Amino acid sequence: MKLLMLMGAVLGFGVGFGFSLVQESSWPSVVWRACAAAYAAGLLLRWWGRRWEENLRVALIEKHEAVLRAESAAAASATTTPTPSIPTKR
């Protein structure tokens, strides 16, 4: 999670820095905007990372439950004995 937040901050700083330079802002304004963009991007990527991790956990649990259901269904069908069919004459 910390890595995602750090990546977001670095990306946000770079974007804020670049956009401020394109607008030909003064250096204090460039640094201020880059820091604000880094903060916002870091928070945004932290939030997204938490949602992503939560959904990956849910998917893993659902996959595990599906495997358990399939195994129990296979075991239930293996324990029941099929009824013998009576051959008919034609």
Side-chain angles (χ1 to χ4, degrees):
M1 197 61 58
K2 290 179 184 179
L3 181 62
L4 282 175
M5 189 171 178
L6 184 62
M7 285 175 28
V10 168
L11 181 66
F13 190 86
V15 168
F17 192 83
F19 283 163
S20 293
L21 284 179
V22 168
Q23 290 180 345
E24 298 178 359
S25 299
S26 64
W27 279 107
S29 179
V30 168
V31 173
W32 172 249
R33 289 178 184 175
C35 289
Y39 179 73
L43 289 179
L44 184 64
L45 219 58
R46 182 180 70 172
W47 171 81
W48 179 78
R50 285 183 179 171
R51 298 293 79 80
W52 184 43
E53 183 181 4
E54 179 182 322
N55 287 328
L56 285 175
R57 287 180 196 265
V58 168
L60 184 62
I61 289 170
E62 288 176 355
K63 185 176 180 181
H64 182 67
E65 289 174 352
V67 167
L68 290 177
R69 278 194 303 266
E71 287 176 354
S72 65
S77 67
T79 58
T80 59
T81 57
T83 57
S85 60
I86 302 171
T88 59
K89 294 181 182 179
R90 291 193 183 213

